[in-house]
Amino acid sequence: MSAPPARSPRVGVWLIGARGSVATTVVAGCAALTAGLHPPTGLVTEGPEFADSGLPALSSLVFGGHDTTDCPLPKRAEQLAAGGVMPHRLPVAVAAELAAADREITTGGPLPGDTRTAEELIAAFTEDLRGFVRRNDLARAVVVNVASTEPVATGDDLPPSSLYAAAALRAGCPYVNFTPSTGLHHPALAGRAAAGGLPYAGRDGKTGQTLLRAALGPMFAQRALAVRAWSGTNLLGGGDGAALADPAAAAAKNAGKERVLADTLGTVPEGEVHIDDVPALGDWKTAWDHIAFDGFLGTRMVLQTTWQGCDSALAAPLVLDLARLVARAHETGRSGPLGELAFFFKDPVGTAPAALAAQYAELVDFARQLGETR
Amino acid sequence: MSAPPARSPRVGVWLIGARGSVATTVVAGCAALTAGLHPPTGLVTEGPEFADSGLPALSSLVFGGHDTTDCPLPKRAEQLAAGGVMPHRLPVAVAAELAAADREITTGGPLPGDTRTAEELIAAFTEDLRGFVRRNDLARAVVVNVASTEPVATGDDLPPSSLYAAAALRAGCPYVNFTPSTGLHHPALAGRAAAGGLPYAGRDGKTGQTLLRAALGPMFAQRALAVRAWSGTNLLGGGDGAALADPAAAAAKNAGKERVLADTLGTVPEGEVHIDDVPALGDWKTAWDHIAFDGFLGTRMVLQTTWQGCDSALAAPLVLDLARLVARAHETGRSGPLGELAFFFKDPVGTAPAALAAQYAELVDFARQLGETR
Amino acid sequence: MSAPPARSPRVGVWLIGARGSVATTVVAGCAALTAGLHPPTGLVTEGPEFADSGLPALSSLVFGGHDTTDCPLPKRAEQLAAGGVMPHRLPVAVAAELAAADREITTGGPLPGDTRTAEELIAAFTEDLRGFVRRNDLARAVVVNVASTEPVATGDDLPPSSLYAAAALRAGCPYVNFTPSTGLHHPALAGRAAAGGLPYAGRDGKTGQTLLRAALGPMFAQRALAVRAWSGTNLLGGGDGAALADPAAAAAKNAGKERVLADTLGTVPEGEVHIDDVPALGDWKTAWDHIAFDGFLGTRMVLQTTWQGCDSALAAPLVLDLARLVARAHETGRSGPLGELAFFFKDPVGTAPAALAAQYAELVDFARQLGETR
Amino acid sequence: MSAPPARSPRVGVWLIGARGSVATTVVAGCAALTAGLHPPTGLVTEGPEFADSGLPALSSLVFGGHDTTDCPLPKRAEQLAAGGVMPHRLPVAVAAELAAADREITTGGPLPGDTRTAEELIAAFTEDLRGFVRRNDLARAVVVNVASTEPVATGDDLPPSSLYAAAALRAGCPYVNFTPSTGLHHPALAGRAAAGGLPYAGRDGKTGQTLLRAALGPMFAQRALAVRAWSGTNLLGGGDGAALADPAAAAAKNAGKERVLADTLGTVPEGEVHIDDVPALGDWKTAWDHIAFDGFLGTRMVLQTTWQGCDSALAAPLVLDLARLVARAHETGRSGPLGELAFFFKDPVGTAPAALAAQYAELVDFARQLGETR
C-alpha cells in the first residue's frame, strides 16, 4: 500500500467549495481510511500499481479551503449520513478530523455586495493559502476546485473559479479543477499558467455517465459498429442538480460529455443530453443512456444503460487520488498540464487519449514514472 | 481497405451449420459487401489497422459447409429478411452467391439412425473438405463451427463438434470454433491439435452480453469499485434460444460468461446468468445485466444495461473476420492456439488478457505482425 | 365482431394530415383487416364489448383528407414498410385502396404565400368536405386531425388546425382531434362547437408514455405510495420528433402528459418531460420514465419503464376506433364533447376520470349505450 | 382518519414468523405511526375510503407471534435500520413497543429434532394463541403468516404453515396467509376452514413485480395489444432470496405470478420468471420485466420495467391493512374466503377479478359494506 505515513511530510489539500458534499466526503473519508474503518474502495491510488510512486500517504494530508456558506463540516457530515452518502456512525467517529478541517476553512468570495476588485480578491485568497501552508508546516498544498458549477463565463471578467485559480498560481500551489467551471481556462490566465512552473489538471471529474461513455464508446469503435444516436438524461438531486438546471452551467458540463463521444467514436452521433434537477433524489443521481447503433447490413440495435450512483461518493476518492498524484508531480518537479491524468476527467487538459482503457494505461505509466524520480 | 481482389488466391470458408442463421448471413453479407451494396459495418478487419495485413479479400472467399437440415440457403435468406435480420431486397440481390454456396453444402452427421462409427464419420467429413478444396481450386480452407450449441460432452465419445474438428485437422484446415461446443477441446484431440501444425481459434463468439462485460468489467477494476453482484438474463428467440434452454448447453455458454467477469474483476461476484428461450423474439435477443457495486465508504450503487441485438447480424461479420485472420495466419505458417484473437471470444484459447481494450490492442498488434510476414 | 358489412351505409373518414405516417397506416390497415390479411390487433372496437354497438363496419369506411404535401399514399406506404411500420408486402396487397384514398386527398392550407383569409380557407375546406360526402354518397363523414403538432397558438388568429375544425362544424361533420394542436379549443370556436349539435372528441391520442402513466399512476395512488418525482424522456424519429423539438409544440404535448399525473396521483410530483428529435429512430419511439416514490416509513424506491413502440402503429387503430365511435355517436344523435372517449386521449374533452381502468369502464358503458339507441 | 382509538377494543395481530423482517417492520411501523413519527405512506386503510369502515385503530393493535429463531425484535430492528429498511433513529424511538411485542413471541415449530405429532403441535400453537388473547384481554386476534416461503408440500403431511393455520381455526382466529406457503390450502383443512365460521384471506402478498403486472396486464388487454412474451427476473437479498432459490419454493411463488398474467391477458404468454438469491442486495429487491407485444399489423414492440423496492417496507403496511380488514370482517360476522381482498394478493382466495383497478373497486366497496354493518 502507500508509503509508511510516519516519514511523510505533511501535504495540504485546499478545497474550493470546502463545505460542499464532495469536500465533506473527502475529509470524512480520508479520516475513515486512515483510521482503518473502511477499505479504500473507489480509491484508484491505493492499487498496487501506485505502491511505489512515492505518493503522500492519506494520513499525511491536511485539509482546508474556501467556501461562501458557513455550515460546519461536522453538521454537513451528519446531513450526508442521513442521506445515505456515508455510514451513520462515521460523522461521530471522525468528528475530530472534521472539526480540524473546519477550522481551516475561510470565507471565499466574492460574496453578494462584495466591492473588492478581482486583484484584491486574488490577493486575499493567496494570503489564505499561504497562511494554511505556514500554520500547518506543509511541504506543499494542492488546490482542488470542487465548488458548484458556474455558468459559462462570458466577457473578460474573471469568474470566481478563475480568481481562486489565479491565487493558487500566485501562492505556488498545484491546481486541480474537478468541475467544468473556467478555473485556469481563462485567456487572462493562460500566460501565468504556462509561466508558473506548476503542474495542473482538470477539467470536470468523470464519475458516472461520462465514465461509462468512455468505457463503451471504444467498444463500438473497435467492433466497427456504427453509432447513430447517443441520447442521455441525468436526474440529479442535491445542489448539483439545481446548479446544472441553469442552462448556462449545463452547457459547460455537456461540452465535456460530447467530447468523449466524438473522440472515442470518431464521429458525433445524433442525440441530446439533459440534466434535470430532481431534489427528491437527494445526493443520488440516475443517468440513462440510449444508444442506437447499426450492425452488419444496417441491422438496427440498441444498448441502454442506467447508472444509479451517489455523486459525492464517486467524486471524493478521485479528489484524494488527484491531490496525491498532483502533489507528487509537484514534488518531482513536473509542471504544466498533466494530460496523463485524463483518466479522471471529462475534458482533460493537455493531450490525452479518449478511451478509458488507454487513459488508464497512461495513468499507470505515469505512476511508474513518478516512482522513478528521486 | 483490403488487398486488390484480382490477385487474391481463392480461400475457402467451410461452415459447420451451413444452413443456419449465422452461416446464411455470412454468405449473403459477404456477397453484399463485395458487390458494394452495404458498407462493412461490424466488420473489424475492414478497419485501417488491417489494411496491410495481407488478409484475403472478401471477394476471394468461397463458401461451403456441413449441415443436417436441407432448407436451401436462398430460402433461409428469405426467412431472415422477413424477420428483419437482413434488408428485404438482399436475398434476391445475392441469389446467385447464395445458390453457389448452397451447392457446396453437404449433409453432415451423425443423423438419427446413423450407424457409422466416429472414425467413419471423420473420414467422410475429411473427404468432403478435400473435395471442396479440390473442386474450387482453393489455396486453403478454414473450417468455422457456427452450429447450434451442443450439450456439454460427458464420457469419452467424441461429440459431433469434435468429429468435425478432427476432420479439419486431418484435412489440414485451420479451425475456428465460434460456439461453446467442445470442438477441439476434447482430450482425445489435444495431441492431434498440438501436432497438426495448424492454427486454430475459439471458443464462443463474444457478441452481446459478454462483449459488454469485457468492456465494463475493467472500468470497475480500474476505478477500484467493488462489484458485489453481477446478474444477467438473456432472452433469445431463434434456434439458439431453444438449444440453450437445455441446461447442459447453457452450462457451456455460462462458463465463458463467468470467466470474463472473474478475469476482469479479479474476483467472482455473486449473481447468476439465465438464458431463456423466447420464440416470439425471432432472431433477436435481449440481455439485461444488473451490477451491484460498492463505492467509497461502502456506498451501494447499481448499473443496469439492456442490450437488444440481432444475434446473426452480430456474429456474421466476426465469422468473416476470423476466417480471414486465421487463413492469413495459416498462410504465414503460424500454428497452434491463436490467443491473439481473444477479442472475438468468450473463452479464448491460449493465453490472452480478459479486458476488451487489451484484447483489441493484441489484435491490432497481431494484424501488424501478419503484414510483416512474407 | 362488427355488424355485417353488406347493410352498412358508407361512412367517411376525412383525415387532416392525410399523407402522414398515421393516416397512411390507417388506410392501409383498414384495407388489410377488411381483406382478412391481419387480425385486428390494437383495435379496441373489434372486442366483444363493442359487437352490439352498431358501429360502422371497417369495410364501410371511405377515406379522404387534406394535406399540404403531395407524396402519393402508395409511395408513403412503401416508405413505411421499408421502415418496419407495416409488413413489406402490404403496400402491394392494398394498392387499390391506397390509390382510392389518394384520389380523395385535397391540398389543404394555408400554404406558404397563401393570401386567402381565414374565412376563405374555412369556406374552401368546407366545400372539400361536402364534395367528399357527395361524391361517395356517404351517410356521414368524421373529420380526424392527425397532422403534425402545431406550436401553441398565441394571439387571436385561428391556427390551421382550428380552420379545419371550423370547416368540420360548418359541413356538419363530427370532429376528432388526435393531436395536441388547438383544433376546436379556440375561444373563437367555442360558441360554434356548443351550438353545432355535433359530437366531438380529443385531444392528443394516448399511445405510449402517457398510456403507461394512466395505467401506473392509479396503482401508486391506490397503494398510498407517495410519488416524489416522475421524470420522462422521449426519443422520437420521424416527423413527429422534428415537430416536437420545437419547444412551443412540445409545450402543448407536455401539458397533457402532466395532467394525467396530476389527476391520477392527486399531486404534481417533481420531474420534467423531454422530447428529443432522433431521426435515426425512424418511425420508432422510445420513452423512458423514472419514478421515485416513498414507501412505508419513508423508504425510497424507484420504478423505471422503457417503452419502445412504433407511433404510427399505435395511433392508427385508435383513429379507426374513434372514427367508428364518433360516427355512431352522430348517428344516434349525440352532440357536444364526448368525455366517454377519454380512454383514448391525454387531455380529454368534457368530464372524465383520469385512471385508465375507469376510462375503459366508461368506454364500455358508452358502447353499451350506443347499442341501445335505435 | 381512523375511529378514535380511545374507544377501540384491543385487537391482536399474531404473526407467524414474528422475528422476520416483515414482522419487525410491522411492529415498529405501527408504533411509529401511532406516535405520529411518520405519515401513513403505503397504508391503504388510512385513506378516506376506509374512514367509516369501523376498522380497529392502529393504536389498538397488540402484537405477538410464533418464530423458530430467537433474535430479539429490538435487535432485528437495529439490523433493518442499518440496511436502510427503516430510519436510523426509529428502533430507539419505538424500543418499548418492540420489547412489548418481543415478550409475546413464542417458539413455534416443529424445530429440528422435534418429536411432537402434528396434533400435538396444533394443540400447542392453539394454546399459545388462547394465552395471547387472554393475557391481553383482546376482543379478537388475527393470525397472519409472514414466515419464509416453504417448499411446495408433497404428500399428506401438514407442512408447518398448515399446522399454524389449523391452530388459528381451532382457536377461533381469522387467518391471513401473506406468503405462497400452503396454510389453509391443504386438503386436510378444507372442511375445517369451511365449517369454522371464520373469515380468511390470502395467498401471497402482491408487493412488486406482480403488483405491476396486475396494473399493466389490463392495459394491454383493453388496448387489444397482443402480448407474446412476458419474461421476468427477480433479484432478492435477505432471507427471502435464499428461501426462493429453492426451486420448490419458487414454484409456489411463480404459480401466483403466472395466474395474474393469464387472468388479466386472457392468454398465457411465453416467458419465464427467475428468482435469484443475491445477498449483496440486503433487504432490497429488483424486478426486471420484459414484455414483447404485437401492435397493429403485427408490429413488434417492447415494454420493460425495473422495480427497485424494499420488500419489508412494501409488505408491512399491507399486513397492517389486512389485519384491520379481517378483524373487522370477523367483528361483523363474516366468514369464509374474503375474495374482496384480492387487491392484496397474487393468488387470491374466493372469486375475484384479476385486474388491479377492479380489485381496488371491490376493496372500496367492501370497505363501505363493513361500515354499514353494526
Side-chain angles (χ1 to χ4, degrees):
Chain A
M1 295 304 171
S2 52
R7 278 188 274 161
S8 293
R10 286 153 66 85
V11 170
V13 180
W14 186 263
L15 300 159
I16 312 300
R19 298 191 189 287
S21 300
V22 174
T24 307
T25 310
V26 164
V27 174
C30 185
L33 267 58
T34 298
L37 301 177
H38 283 275
T41 308
L43 210 70
V44 175
T45 50
E46 285 293 301
E49 297 84 354
F50 300 83
D52 300 322
S53 300
L55 304 184
L58 291 176
S59 59
S60 72
L61 302 183
V62 178
F63 297 95
H66 280 118
D67 206 314
T68 54
T69 64
D70 52 12
C71 177
L73 276 202
K75 191 170 169 196
R76 283 293 287 128
E78 288 289 349
Q79 292 166 350
L80 293 171
V85 179
M86 60 180 72
H88 271 262
R89 288 175 186 143
L90 189 58
V92 170
V94 300
E97 290 86 346
L98 288 165
D102 196 67
R103 284 189 296 271
E104 288 289 355
I105 301 179
T106 306
T107 304
L111 297 166
D114 205 328
T115 58
R116 288 177 288 179
T117 64
E119 173 53 32
E120 287 167 343
L121 287 160
I122 295 172
F125 299 159
T126 304
E127 201 44 53
D128 292 338
L129 271 166
R130 287 178 176 151
F132 173 60
V133 170
R134 202 182 317 122
R135 269 193 308 281
N136 293 283
D137 191 23
L138 303 174
R140 76 202 77 249
V142 179
V143 174
V144 186
N145 182 14
V146 291
S148 283
T149 299
E150 300 174 334
V152 171
T154 54
D156 294 339
D157 286 355
L158 289 178
S161 66
S162 296
L163 300 175
Y164 291 115
L169 288 180
R170 194 173 297 177
C173 296
Y175 176 79
V176 176
N177 191 353
F178 202 77
T179 80
S181 299
T182 305
L184 275 185
H185 272 59
H186 195 280
L189 297 185
R192 288 185 240 179
L198 292 164
Y200 59 90
R203 282 195 299 180
D204 205 3
K206 193 159 63 187
T207 58
Q209 187 179 52
T210 312
L211 175 66
L212 260 181
R213 290 177 165 203
L216 292 173
M219 178 190 79
F220 288 104
Q222 290 159 0
R223 281 292 174 99
L225 298 166
V227 173
R228 300 194 52 195
W230 198 312
S231 307
T233 295
N234 293 272
L235 311 180
L236 307 186
D240 220 25
L244 293 167
D246 173 353
K253 191 144 205 118
N254 288 344
K257 286 176 184 282
E258 281 171 21
R259 178 171 163 185
V260 170
L261 290 189
D263 288 356
T264 58
L265 297 176
T267 60
V268 177
E270 294 174 9
E272 299 176 41
V273 171
H274 303 286
I275 303 182
D276 291 7
D277 180 29
V278 184
L281 295 182
D283 288 283
W284 294 76
K285 75 175 172 189
T286 296
W288 174 70
D289 265 26
H290 178 280
I291 307 145
F293 63 99
D294 281 357
F296 198 49
L297 306 175
T299 312
R300 292 186 180 186
M301 315 193 195
V302 173
L303 171 65
Q304 293 174 71
T305 63
T306 311
W307 172 273
Q308 296 168 299
C310 172
D311 220 20
S312 303
L314 288 160
L318 306 181
V319 169
L320 290 170
D321 286 328
L322 285 162
R324 299 171 87 184
L325 288 161
V326 174
R328 175 63 179 158
H330 187 234
E331 183 182 14
T332 60
R334 283 164 172 85
S335 67
L338 296 175
E340 298 92 336
L341 302 183
F343 178 71
F344 296 98
F345 296 107
K346 290 193 187 72
D347 187 18
V349 299
T351 54
L356 190 70
Q359 293 174 337
Y360 185 70
E362 286 221 355
L363 175 64
V364 169
D365 193 52
F366 184 59
R368 192 186 44 70
Q369 292 174 29
L370 287 178
E372 288 168 0
T373 323
R374 285 302 129 193
Chain B
M1 295 300 174
S2 53
R7 278 189 274 160
S8 290
R10 287 154 62 86
V11 170
V13 181
W14 185 264
L15 300 159
I16 312 299
R19 300 192 187 286
S21 300
V22 173
T24 307
T25 309
V26 164
V27 174
C30 186
L33 267 58
T34 298
L37 301 177
H38 282 276
T41 309
L43 210 71
V44 176
T45 50
E46 286 293 301
E49 297 84 352
F50 299 84
D52 300 322
S53 300
L55 304 184
L58 292 176
S59 59
S60 72
L61 302 183
V62 177
F63 297 94
H66 280 118
D67 207 314
T68 54
T69 64
D70 52 12
C71 177
L73 276 202
K75 190 170 169 197
R76 283 294 287 129
E78 288 289 350
Q79 292 166 350
L80 291 171
V85 179
M86 59 180 72
H88 273 262
R89 288 176 186 141
L90 189 58
V92 170
V94 300
E97 289 88 343
L98 288 165
D102 196 66
R103 284 190 295 273
E104 287 290 357
I105 300 178
T106 307
T107 304
L111 297 166
D114 204 328
T115 57
R116 289 177 288 180
T117 63
E119 173 53 33
E120 287 167 343
L121 287 160
I122 295 171
F125 299 159
T126 304
E127 204 42 54
D128 293 338
L129 271 167
R130 288 178 175 152
F132 173 61
V133 170
R134 202 182 315 123
R135 269 193 309 281
N136 294 283
D137 191 23
L138 303 173
R140 75 201 79 252
V142 179
V143 173
V144 187
N145 181 15
V146 290
S148 283
T149 300
E150 302 174 333
V152 172
T154 53
D156 294 339
D157 287 354
L158 289 179
S161 67
S162 296
L163 299 175
Y164 292 115
L169 288 181
R170 194 174 297 179
C173 295
Y175 175 81
V176 177
N177 190 354
F178 202 76
T179 79
S181 299
T182 305
L184 276 184
H185 272 59
H186 195 281
L189 297 185
R192 289 185 238 179
L198 291 164
Y200 58 90
R203 286 195 295 182
D204 205 4
K206 194 160 62 187
T207 58
Q209 187 178 53
T210 312
L211 175 65
L212 261 180
R213 291 178 165 202
L216 292 173
M219 177 189 80
F220 288 104
Q222 290 159 0
R223 280 291 175 99
L225 298 165
V227 174
R228 300 192 54 194
W230 198 312
S231 307
T233 295
N234 294 272
L235 311 180
L236 309 185
D240 220 24
L244 292 167
D246 173 353
K253 192 149 205 113
N254 288 344
K257 287 177 186 279
E258 281 172 21
R259 179 172 162 184
V260 170
L261 290 188
D263 288 356
T264 58
L265 298 175
T267 60
V268 178
E270 294 175 10
E272 297 175 42
V273 172
H274 304 286
I275 303 182
D276 290 6
D277 180 28
V278 184
L281 295 183
D283 287 285
W284 294 76
K285 77 175 172 189
T286 295
W288 174 70
D289 264 26
H290 178 281
I291 307 146
F293 63 99
D294 281 357
F296 198 50
L297 307 176
T299 313
R300 292 186 179 187
M301 314 193 195
V302 173
L303 171 65
Q304 295 175 69
T305 63
T306 311
W307 172 273
Q308 295 169 300
C310 172
D311 219 20
S312 302
L314 287 161
L318 305 182
V319 169
L320 290 170
D321 286 329
L322 285 162
R324 297 171 88 185
L325 289 161
V326 174
R328 175 63 178 158
H330 187 232
E331 183 182 14
T332 60
R334 281 165 173 83
S335 66
L338 297 175
E340 298 93 336
L341 302 183
F343 179 69
F344 296 99
F345 296 108
K346 290 194 188 72
D347 187 18
V349 298
T351 55
L356 190 70
Q359 292 174 338
Y360 184 70
E362 286 221 353
L363 175 64
V364 169
D365 193 54
F366 184 59
R368 192 185 44 69
Q369 292 174 29
L370 287 178
E372 289 167 359
T373 323
R374 287 298 132 193
Chain C
M1 295 300 173
S2 53
R7 279 188 274 161
S8 291
R10 286 154 63 85
V11 170
V13 181
W14 185 264
L15 300 159
I16 312 300
R19 299 192 188 286
S21 301
V22 174
T24 307
T25 310
V26 165
V27 174
C30 185
L33 267 58
T34 297
L37 301 177
H38 282 276
T41 308
L43 210 69
V44 176
T45 51
E46 285 293 301
E49 297 83 353
F50 299 84
D52 300 324
S53 300
L55 304 183
L58 292 176
S59 59
S60 72
L61 301 183
V62 177
F63 296 95
H66 280 119
D67 207 315
T68 54
T69 64
D70 53 12
C71 177
L73 277 202
K75 191 170 168 197
R76 282 294 287 130
E78 288 290 350
Q79 292 166 352
L80 292 171
V85 179
M86 59 180 72
H88 273 262
R89 288 176 185 141
L90 190 58
V92 170
V94 300
E97 290 86 345
L98 288 165
D102 195 66
R103 285 190 296 272
E104 288 289 356
I105 301 179
T106 307
T107 304
L111 297 167
D114 204 328
T115 58
R116 289 175 290 180
T117 64
E119 173 53 32
E120 286 168 343
L121 288 160
I122 295 172
F125 299 160
T126 303
E127 204 42 54
D128 292 339
L129 271 166
R130 287 179 176 150
F132 173 61
V133 170
R134 202 181 317 122
R135 269 193 309 282
N136 293 283
D137 190 24
L138 303 173
R140 75 202 78 251
V142 180
V143 174
V144 186
N145 182 15
V146 290
S148 284
T149 299
E150 302 174 333
V152 172
T154 55
D156 294 338
D157 287 355
L158 290 178
S161 66
S162 297
L163 300 175
Y164 292 114
L169 288 181
R170 194 174 297 178
C173 294
Y175 175 80
V176 177
N177 191 354
F178 202 76
T179 79
S181 300
T182 305
L184 276 184
H185 272 58
H186 195 281
L189 297 185
R192 288 185 240 180
L198 292 163
Y200 59 89
R203 285 196 296 182
D204 204 5
K206 194 159 63 186
T207 58
Q209 188 179 51
T210 312
L211 175 65
L212 261 180
R213 289 178 166 202
L216 291 173
M219 178 190 80
F220 288 104
Q222 290 159 359
R223 280 291 174 98
L225 299 166
V227 173
R228 300 192 53 194
W230 198 312
S231 307
T233 295
N234 293 273
L235 311 179
L236 308 185
D240 221 24
L244 293 167
D246 173 352
K253 192 148 204 114
N254 288 344
K257 287 175 185 281
E258 281 172 21
R259 178 171 163 184
V260 170
L261 290 188
D263 288 356
T264 58
L265 298 175
T267 60
V268 178
E270 294 175 9
E272 300 176 41
V273 171
H274 303 286
I275 303 182
D276 290 7
D277 180 28
V278 184
L281 294 182
D283 287 284
W284 294 76
K285 77 174 171 190
T286 296
W288 174 69
D289 264 26
H290 179 280
I291 307 146
F293 63 99
D294 281 358
F296 198 49
L297 307 175
T299 313
R300 292 185 179 187
M301 315 194 194
V302 173
L303 171 65
Q304 294 175 71
T305 63
T306 311
W307 172 272
Q308 296 169 300
C310 173
D311 220 20
S312 302
L314 287 161
L318 305 182
V319 169
L320 290 170
D321 286 328
L322 285 162
R324 299 171 88 184
L325 288 161
V326 175
R328 175 64 179 157
H330 187 233
E331 182 182 16
T332 59
R334 282 165 172 84
S335 67
L338 297 175
E340 299 92 337
L341 302 183
F343 179 70
F344 295 99
F345 296 108
K346 289 193 188 73
D347 187 17
V349 298
T351 55
L356 190 70
Q359 293 174 336
Y360 185 70
E362 285 221 355
L363 175 64
V364 169
D365 193 53
F366 184 59
R368 192 185 44 71
Q369 293 173 29
L370 287 178
E372 288 168 359
T373 323
R374 285 299 132 194
Chain D
M1 294 302 171
S2 53
R7 277 189 274 160
S8 292
R10 287 154 64 86
V11 170
V13 181
W14 185 263
L15 300 158
I16 313 299
R19 299 191 188 287
S21 301
V22 173
T24 307
T25 309
V26 165
V27 174
C30 186
L33 268 58
T34 297
L37 301 177
H38 283 275
T41 309
L43 210 69
V44 176
T45 50
E46 285 293 300
E49 298 84 353
F50 300 84
D52 300 322
S53 300
L55 303 184
L58 291 176
S59 59
S60 72
L61 301 183
V62 178
F63 298 94
H66 280 119
D67 207 314
T68 54
T69 64
D70 53 11
C71 178
L73 277 201
K75 191 170 169 197
R76 283 294 287 130
E78 288 290 349
Q79 292 167 350
L80 292 171
V85 179
M86 59 180 73
H88 272 261
R89 288 177 184 140
L90 189 58
V92 170
V94 299
E97 290 87 345
L98 287 165
D102 195 67
R103 284 190 296 272
E104 287 290 356
I105 301 178
T106 307
T107 304
L111 297 166
D114 204 327
T115 58
R116 289 176 287 178
T117 64
E119 173 53 33
E120 288 167 343
L121 287 161
I122 295 171
F125 298 159
T126 304
E127 203 42 54
D128 293 337
L129 271 166
R130 288 178 175 151
F132 173 61
V133 171
R134 203 183 316 124
R135 269 192 308 281
N136 293 284
D137 191 23
L138 303 174
R140 76 202 78 251
V142 179
V143 174
V144 186
N145 181 15
V146 290
S148 284
T149 300
E150 301 173 333
V152 172
T154 53
D156 294 338
D157 287 355
L158 289 178
S161 67
S162 296
L163 300 175
Y164 291 115
L169 287 181
R170 194 174 295 178
C173 295
Y175 175 81
V176 177
N177 190 353
F178 202 77
T179 79
S181 301
T182 305
L184 275 184
H185 271 58
H186 196 281
L189 296 185
R192 287 185 239 179
L198 292 164
Y200 58 91
R203 285 195 296 179
D204 205 3
K206 194 159 62 187
T207 57
Q209 187 178 52
T210 311
L211 175 65
L212 260 181
R213 290 178 165 202
L216 292 173
M219 178 189 79
F220 288 104
Q222 291 160 0
R223 280 291 174 99
L225 299 165
V227 173
R228 299 192 54 195
W230 198 312
S231 307
T233 295
N234 294 273
L235 311 181
L236 309 185
D240 221 24
L244 293 167
D246 173 352
K253 191 146 206 117
N254 288 344
K257 286 176 185 281
E258 281 172 21
R259 179 172 162 185
V260 170
L261 290 188
D263 288 356
T264 57
L265 299 175
T267 60
V268 178
E270 294 174 8
E272 298 176 42
V273 172
H274 303 286
I275 303 181
D276 290 6
D277 181 27
V278 184
L281 295 182
D283 288 284
W284 294 75
K285 75 175 171 189
T286 296
W288 174 70
D289 264 26
H290 179 282
I291 307 146
F293 63 99
D294 281 359
F296 198 49
L297 307 174
T299 313
R300 292 187 180 186
M301 314 193 195
V302 174
L303 171 65
Q304 295 176 70
T305 63
T306 310
W307 173 273
Q308 295 169 300
C310 172
D311 220 21
S312 302
L314 287 161
L318 305 182
V319 168
L320 290 171
D321 286 328
L322 285 162
R324 298 171 88 185
L325 288 162
V326 174
R328 174 64 178 157
H330 187 233
E331 183 182 13
T332 60
R334 281 165 173 83
S335 67
L338 296 175
E340 299 91 336
L341 302 183
F343 178 70
F344 295 98
F345 296 107
K346 290 193 187 72
D347 187 18
V349 298
T351 55
L356 190 70
Q359 292 174 339
Y360 184 69
E362 286 221 355
L363 175 63
V364 169
D365 193 54
F366 184 59
R368 192 186 44 70
Q369 292 173 29
L370 287 178
E372 288 167 359
T373 323
R374 287 296 133 195

